[in-house]
Amino acid sequence: MASIYLDHNATTPVRPEVYDAMEPFFRVRFGNASSIHRYGQEARSAVEEARSRVAGLVNARPGEIYFTSGGTESDNLALKGIAYTRRAFGRHIITTNIEHSAVLNSCGFLEREGFEVTYLPVDEYGRIDPGQVADALTGHTILISIMHANNEIGTVQPVGEIGRIARDNGVCFHTDAVQSAGKLPVDVEAMHADLLSLSGHKIYGPKGVGAIYIRNGVEIEPTAHGGHHENDVRSGTENTVGIVGLGKAAELAAEEREREFRNLSEMRDALEARIRFEIDGVRINGHPERRLPGTLNVSFCGAEGESLIMSLDLAGIAVSTGSACTSGAIEPSHVLLALGRDPRTALGSVRFSFGRDNTMRDVDCVMSRLPGIVSRLREVSAAQVTG
């Protein structure tokens, strides 16, 4: 049976080049990067080299990059850190209703702490109008947090325009670039970003490591207290082996991004065209043009999403219904509901997310199985309704 992985938005395999770069730091170059002896300084040098590589991926200065445990920690640090630092100037935060749970749940926590959060709606394609952001500003707004690209539907937001609005009004702007970094051009200067989150395991690096960009001059309250690691922004002994892996993954992503964009877009478009042609009653979720190159979210009317995933998995094809962070949830996707999809349509949705190891053969293999699976599940669903 063929084994095809089409869930790269959830996680990616560690590239051989990344593993090779990490391997010495497990056993031979194992020093603590905060130690002053040779072992420590060797680790410190590797950490700083990785910092430069991550900075290069997003057009930042190395000193503006701080390592974390991943995208979730980076999002939490951005929102809570700015909220606590700037609460004397205001307690209003602006975000959207399709953000990742790391942002939405951080906002919920801050609301319980006495902050006010405005959750802006999106259009039918999942895109925010910058004018809405401008209209939502008040004299007490201290932070705008809007993701660059949505993890479920792939829609890309006009973060450059939003960042300019924030900058013109003296408001901090944070963007979650976990899904876009390495796939799209990410430039903190062009985005007018003050803070940006990214994660290693989305770009063929290891799990458990990520980074946050904090523009020089932006003060932030740490959310973890201990030693003076990461310039007092994030305490804890540096995960040197993970940081080395993230640095190598960032370097490779920067070198290969344009080629990978073309390859992923071609496979996504080919699968979308065949699904539209060979299967009736489908709806594509997300923006038709402004979206991630390898992401395709499809609603199959009359078929249940979880059953589709399990049936495809039995056929050797791994896909998902959306965010891996909410897998197991029986509620419809909050992202698809925000697009105006009814709960039944939202529950019948599947996300295909391509990666660098996929080929057009995988598209052929999926389409040799998918129409039959959808047809069978629709028949079962219809029988249950009439029964």
Side-chain angles (χ1 to χ4, degrees):
M1 178 189 297
S3 180
I4 300 173
Y5 184 75
L6 292 177
D7 198 17
H8 291 83
N9 282 16
T11 195
T12 58
V14 173
R15 289 183 60 162
E17 304 96 321
V18 172
Y19 178 83
D20 290 344
M22 294 169 61
E23 197 277 333
F25 293 88
F26 282 107
R27 297 183 65 251
V28 180
R29 303 172 66 183
F30 57 84
N32 186 322
S34 296
S35 299
I36 62 173
H37 48 60
R38 176 172 58 85
Y39 290 90
Q41 292 309 299
E42 191 174 50
R44 171 56 57 192
S45 177
V47 167
E48 296 311 317
E49 181 180 0
R51 199 184 307 277
S52 294
R53 289 173 170 175
V54 173
L57 182 64
V58 298
N59 190 33
R61 302 175 183 89
E64 297 174 314
I65 299 298
Y66 303 86
F67 294 113
T68 67
S69 64
T72 291
E73 184 186 350
S74 295
D75 285 344
N76 273 260
L77 180 57
L79 272 73
K80 296 173 185 176
I82 291 295
Y84 292 150
T85 299
R86 301 205 167 194
R87 57 186 160 189
F89 304 100
R91 288 175 172 260
H92 181 232
I93 298 167
I94 298 172
T95 188
T96 76
N97 55 11
I98 64 165
E99 299 296 310
H100 188 273
S101 56
V103 168
L104 293 178
N105 288 337
S106 291
C107 286
F109 170 83
L110 289 169
E111 285 183 293
R112 295 191 294 274
E113 292 278 297
F115 290 85
E116 176 190 357
V117 181
T118 297
Y119 300 90
L120 295 175
V122 294
D123 65 18
E124 62 178 312
Y125 303 113
R127 197 164 158 89
I128 188 78
D129 179 356
Q132 292 177 271
V133 179
D135 291 342
L137 288 168
T138 74
H140 304 287
T141 306
I142 55 174
L143 176 66
I144 298 169
S145 180
I146 294 178
M147 68 194 331
H148 187 199
N150 186 268
N151 50 302
E152 293 192 32
I153 59 176
T155 296
V156 178
Q157 302 294 353
V159 291
E161 296 176 62
I162 295 168
R164 187 180 301 109
I165 291 169
R167 183 70 53 81
D168 290 345
N169 287 274
V171 175
C172 272
F173 175 52
H174 164 253
T175 187
D176 179 335
V178 167
Q179 287 294 340
S180 60
K183 302 173 187 177
L184 300 174
V186 174
D187 184 332
V188 294
E189 295 299 329
M191 292 176 169
H192 307 283
D194 296 298
L195 306 105
L196 178 145
S197 304
L198 58 85
S199 180
H201 76 105
K202 306 295 188 180
I203 56 172
Y204 306 94
K207 298 175 180 65
V209 64
I212 181 171
Y213 156 80
I214 305 175
R215 181 180 294 278
N216 281 341
V218 174
E219 296 183 8
I220 190 166
E221 178 70 25
T223 54
H225 301 91
H228 300 290
H229 308 88
E230 293 300 290
N231 199 25
D232 289 324
V233 168
R234 198 264 189 180
S235 295
T237 300
E238 288 92 347
N239 174 14
T240 302
V241 65
I243 289 169
V244 168
L246 171 58
K248 185 63 177 179
E251 178 187 46
L252 294 170
E255 292 174 353
E256 301 173 3
R257 181 185 56 77
E258 291 186 10
R259 181 173 67 251
E260 289 301 311
F261 183 94
R262 291 192 297 270
N263 292 340
L264 296 176
S265 297
E266 288 174 1
M267 289 184 286
R268 178 205 64 200
D269 292 347
L271 179 59
E272 178 179 339
R274 291 192 59 179
I275 287 175
R276 288 182 182 275
F277 182 74
E278 298 180 34
I279 304 176
D280 294 329
V282 300
R283 183 167 188 176
I284 307 301
N285 301 308
H287 200 281
E289 298 172 356
R290 299 182 179 94
R291 55 177 167 169
L292 291 170
T295 303
L296 178 64
N297 190 300
V298 187
S299 294
F300 297 91
C301 301
E304 198 269 326
E306 293 287 347
S307 297
L308 278 167
I309 289 173
M310 290 186 288
S311 296
L312 286 167
D313 189 45
L314 290 172
I317 301 166
V319 297
S320 73
T321 52
S323 174
C325 297
T326 56
S327 61
I330 59 174
E331 294 85 7
S333 160
H334 73 282
V335 175
L336 296 181
L337 293 180
L339 269 60
R341 307 293 185 264
D342 63 85
R344 184 174 176 83
T345 299
L347 285 170
S349 302
V350 172
R351 181 187 69 186
F352 304 88
S353 49
F354 289 88
R356 65 187 308 273
D357 294 324
N358 292 123
T359 68
M360 283 295 183
R361 286 185 180 180
D362 296 331
V363 174
D364 293 336
C365 187
V366 169
M367 293 310 299
S368 71
R369 294 163 170 76
L370 182 61
I373 290 172
V374 172
S375 178
R376 176 175 59 82
L377 291 178
R378 283 172 170 170
E379 290 176 1
V380 171
S381 179
Q384 291 174 339
V385 172
T386 57

